[in-house]
Amino acid sequence: MLYLIGLGLGDAKDITVKGLEVVRRCSRVYLEAYTSVLTVGKEALEEFYRRKLILADREEVEQEADNILKDADISDVAFLVVGDPFGATTHSDLVLRATKLGIPYRVIHNASIMNAVGCCGLQLYKFGETVSIVFWTDTWRPESFFDKVKKNRQNGMHTLCLLDIKVKEQSLENLIKGRKIYEPPRYMSVNQAAQQLLEIVQNQRIRGEEPAITEETLCVGLARVGADDQKIAAGTLQQMCTVDLGEPLHSLIITGGSIHPMEMEMLSLFSIPENSSESQSINGL
Amino acid sequence: MLYLIGLGLGDAKDITVKGLEVVRRCSRVYLEAYTSVLTVGKEALEEFYRRKLILADREEVEQEADNILKDADISDVAFLVVGDPFGATTHSDLVLRATKLGIPYRVIHNASIMNAVGCCGLQLYKFGETVSIVFWTDTWRPESFFDKVKKNRQNGMHTLCLLDIKVKEQSLENLIKGRKIYEPPRYMSVNQAAQQLLEIVQNQRIRGEEPAITEETLCVGLARVGADDQKIAAGTLQQMCTVDLGEPLHSLIITGGSIHPMEMEMLSLFSIPENSSESQSINGL
């Protein structure tokens, strides 16, 4: 059996009891290592699970799926995913390969950023299409995702923006020379995302278009959702450019315009104090 | 401290390790009992958690929140929610009350139907606004939610339909006479939801409108997501009227029209066999 097990969002203890039991009895346990990170490292997981974990980066999952699935028809193999196995990134490819090989599979679900963002008080059912914001380079500055934000806002829907994660990235030089030397991982902050959004807004104004959002649009920045030191900050897009949310991972929500009074009351718990770039941590802790 | 703890979707072991530790050391543990159900009852939870649970139905949470929050400033109180505390139903009201009383709170997240539906292979980021389908009565047959389905489909988005749950419902007679006698709980099936949807489609045709969906629209029925005997069936809306998904809880997805090849390949794992009203269970188990 192939088990796809969600680890949740915080630390080693965010796995479910069911998930932990399966991890402890599987013959091999892989840790998906390319789409997300927990606030703790592989070693902390290994210690708590009392199991050796095999790191599986994107290349391995795509190119060596057969290794992962080896003997999974006669033994149990676990594939661990931060968040939920069918959350922000789906692992349909692995499931489909397993199915073709006649290997049964099971999913052990957990929280993912796709549902845990509800903790800020905005209602999940009022979220429209989720977008991804990628790091701009000098030559590649995509704006196309902005149409989706616009459509969501026109329909009164909030937009969850997943922010870019670059792990196992090669410099152009190393890539050309075929050297498997990787840059340090990079995680987009709410500040960077907000700055890119404001640049798009300004570009649209220059082109004479009316932007769907402005400097004053109400946004919510979230950091390390589900972890002990989680931070949430509600404020304008302009404020999101400077608010200090600390370490990764960050996510950004662009609100949908019409906000229910209960949503607003919840957001007020997290509002950025006047004349401050500091966010309040959840619970005021 | 007030802890809002998600229980996930299946059985007692779907709680996270972190959640279980908190449950075992809190001075009082409430179980929210009005928006959802696990496949196991209160007793099974009590046995596994080794804690007595206090059932809190909607009336109690709304009218006696102060009891729930009593002494939570000097001791730890847990409020358990099937799924995630900020999933399909938010518990913002309890959080806001706690905050006003100066009681700190923490959320321990888990899977909810809002993200676990990804297990059918449809990509979560492509879901639009979530709708609720309620039991029709002879005199109350709301169709307004259908506009949201239409808008989602116009934008190529899938629609998750949460199906009605009636617990602690009083008959009109008992309500009038003030007798606290409750009807047996009712849970809308995918069949019932599909039949109501088809009736709306037919009403729209009678009125000369072009319905956003037809008998042939691709849908996905899901039952007991996250449980061992989970079932998923992909087929037309017409097929959803007769497919047998077994016991509650059920959910229905109306696909968004444009479906990615990978989504389609995943759905094909769950397609309803020709000449059959039987769905395939996940994994073919």
Side-chain angles (χ1 to χ4, degrees):
Chain A
M1 178 82 85
L2 169 69
Y3 287 93
L4 295 105
I5 303 176
L7 300 186
L9 296 169
D11 57 39
K13 290 187 174 177
D14 283 306
I15 194 170
T16 64
V17 174
K18 191 179 281 174
L20 183 61
E21 286 181 357
V22 171
V23 165
R24 287 191 174 156
R25 69 172 164 74
C26 275
S27 55
R28 294 194 311 282
V29 185
Y30 294 89
L31 173 63
E32 187 259 51
Y34 58 89
T35 52
S36 198
V37 286
L38 287 175
T39 53
V40 295
K42 172 170 170 272
E43 292 68 31
L45 298 183
E46 287 180 324
E47 193 186 327
F48 182 69
Y49 301 159
R50 289 191 250 123
R51 286 303 311 263
K52 201 84 198 147
L53 302 182
I54 307 164
L55 273 187
D57 60 25
R58 188 187 294 267
E59 284 169 33
E60 275 148 15
V61 176
E62 286 176 4
Q63 292 165 20
E64 294 170 46
D66 292 346
N67 281 341
I68 294 174
L69 296 173
K70 192 162 169 260
D71 298 331
D73 49 343
I74 50 169
S75 64
D76 288 336
V77 173
F79 186 75
L80 310 187
V81 177
V82 172
D84 184 78
F86 290 90
T89 307
T90 66
H91 290 83
S92 303
D93 44 350
L94 195 61
V95 166
L96 289 168
R97 263 185 224 233
T99 308
K100 275 173 198 154
L101 294 168
I103 297 166
Y105 75 94
R106 268 207 63 188
V107 180
I108 299 181
H109 290 288
N110 210 319
S112 70
I113 191 67
M114 304 293 282
N115 72 329
V117 290
C119 65
C120 73
L122 293 174
Q123 288 166 325
L124 278 189
Y125 70 86
K126 277 180 56 187
F127 278 75
E129 183 165 8
T130 302
V131 304
S132 294
I133 302 185
V134 298
F135 280 115
W136 278 354
T137 66
D138 291 341
T139 52
W140 193 60
R141 306 168 83 77
E143 296 191 359
S144 56
F145 75 92
F146 202 77
D147 289 342
K148 294 173 183 167
V149 177
K150 186 176 177 179
K151 206 169 269 181
N152 284 341
R153 275 188 64 89
Q154 280 168 348
N155 292 320
M157 310 289 283
H158 311 309
T159 307
L160 171 61
C161 307
L162 302 174
L163 308 188
D164 206 359
I165 294 174
K166 292 279 187 205
V167 289
K168 273 196 113 177
E169 196 189 12
Q170 286 168 286
S171 68
L172 191 58
E173 192 189 341
N174 285 327
L175 189 70
I176 290 169
K177 295 192 175 159
R179 291 190 296 220
K180 294 212 166 178
I181 300 170
Y182 302 103
E183 303 298 303
R186 291 190 299 151
Y187 307 96
M188 187 185 284
S189 68
V190 160
N191 300 158
Q192 290 168 309
Q195 282 153 12
Q196 287 190 190
L197 281 165
L198 278 185
E199 205 168 314
I200 296 174
V201 168
Q202 274 145 19
N203 289 342
Q204 296 204 326
R205 287 192 184 124
I206 290 168
R207 291 197 297 267
E209 299 164 26
E210 187 166 357
I213 59 174
T214 72
E215 290 78 359
E216 298 307 312
T217 298
L218 180 57
C219 295
V220 185
L222 305 101
R224 302 173 305 287
V225 171
D228 289 344
D229 64 344
Q230 162 182 313
K231 273 194 177 183
I232 303 176
T236 64
L237 179 56
Q238 187 70 60
Q239 286 177 306
M240 292 296 136
C241 293
T242 51
V243 66
D244 180 12
L245 293 171
E247 296 297 301
L249 291 177
H250 290 190
S251 304
L252 178 69
I253 300 168
I254 301 168
T255 62
S258 76
I259 294 175
H260 187 277
M262 181 79 93
E263 291 182 310
M264 198 53 105
E265 209 177 335
M266 276 293 291
L267 288 187
S268 71
L269 299 181
F270 310 114
S271 64
I272 300 172
E274 295 268 344
N275 304 320
S276 164
S277 63
E278 272 298 304
S279 70
Q280 292 182 298
S281 81
I282 188 166
N283 314 338
L285 289 178
Chain B
M1 177 84 82
L2 169 69
Y3 288 94
L4 295 106
I5 302 176
L7 300 185
L9 297 169
D11 57 38
K13 290 188 176 177
D14 283 306
I15 193 171
T16 64
V17 174
K18 191 179 282 176
L20 183 61
E21 286 181 356
V22 171
V23 165
R24 287 192 173 156
R25 67 172 165 75
C26 275
S27 54
R28 293 194 312 282
V29 185
Y30 294 89
L31 174 63
E32 187 259 51
Y34 58 89
T35 52
S36 197
V37 286
L38 287 176
T39 54
V40 294
K42 171 171 170 271
E43 292 69 30
L45 297 183
E46 287 179 324
E47 194 185 328
F48 181 68
Y49 300 160
R50 289 190 251 125
R51 286 304 310 264
K52 201 85 198 144
L53 303 181
I54 308 162
L55 274 185
D57 61 25
R58 188 185 294 268
E59 284 168 35
E60 276 149 14
V61 176
E62 286 175 4
Q63 291 164 20
E64 293 168 47
D66 291 347
N67 282 341
I68 294 174
L69 295 173
K70 193 163 169 258
D71 298 331
D73 49 341
I74 49 169
S75 63
D76 289 336
V77 173
F79 185 75
L80 310 186
V81 178
V82 172
D84 184 79
F86 289 91
T89 307
T90 66
H91 290 84
S92 303
D93 44 351
L94 196 61
V95 166
L96 288 169
R97 261 185 228 236
T99 307
K100 275 173 199 154
L101 294 169
I103 297 166
Y105 74 95
R106 270 207 61 186
V107 180
I108 299 181
H109 290 287
N110 210 319
S112 70
I113 191 65
M114 304 293 282
N115 72 327
V117 290
C119 65
C120 73
L122 292 174
Q123 288 167 323
L124 278 189
Y125 71 86
K126 277 178 57 186
F127 279 75
E129 185 165 7
T130 303
V131 304
S132 295
I133 303 185
V134 297
F135 281 115
W136 278 354
T137 67
D138 291 342
T139 52
W140 192 60
R141 305 168 81 78
E143 297 190 0
S144 56
F145 75 92
F146 202 76
D147 289 340
K148 294 175 185 167
V149 177
K150 186 175 176 179
K151 205 168 271 182
N152 285 341
R153 275 189 62 89
Q154 281 168 346
N155 293 320
M157 310 290 285
H158 311 309
T159 306
L160 171 61
C161 307
L162 302 174
L163 308 187
D164 206 359
I165 295 174
K166 292 278 188 207
V167 290
K168 272 196 113 175
E169 198 187 12
Q170 285 168 285
S171 69
L172 191 58
E173 192 189 342
N174 285 328
L175 190 69
I176 290 168
K177 294 191 175 161
R179 291 190 295 219
K180 294 213 164 177
I181 300 170
Y182 302 103
E183 303 298 303
R186 292 191 298 151
Y187 306 96
M188 186 184 284
S189 69
V190 161
N191 300 158
Q192 290 168 308
Q195 283 152 15
Q196 286 191 192
L197 281 166
L198 279 185
E199 204 169 311
I200 296 175
V201 167
Q202 274 145 21
N203 290 342
Q204 296 204 325
R205 286 192 185 123
I206 291 167
R207 291 197 297 266
E209 298 165 26
E210 185 167 357
I213 59 174
T214 73
E215 289 78 357
E216 298 308 313
T217 298
L218 180 57
C219 294
V220 185
L222 305 101
R224 302 173 304 288
V225 171
D228 289 344
D229 64 344
Q230 161 181 311
K231 274 194 177 185
I232 303 176
T236 64
L237 180 57
Q238 187 71 59
Q239 285 177 307
M240 292 297 134
C241 292
T242 52
V243 66
D244 179 12
L245 292 171
E247 295 297 302
L249 293 178
H250 290 190
S251 305
L252 178 69
I253 300 167
I254 302 168
T255 62
S258 75
I259 294 176
H260 188 275
M262 179 79 93
E263 291 182 311
M264 198 53 106
E265 209 178 336
M266 277 293 293
L267 288 187
S268 70
L269 299 181
F270 310 114
S271 64
I272 300 171
E274 295 267 345
N275 306 318
S276 163
S277 64
E278 271 297 305
S279 70
Q280 293 181 295
S281 82
I282 188 166
N283 314 338
L285 288 179

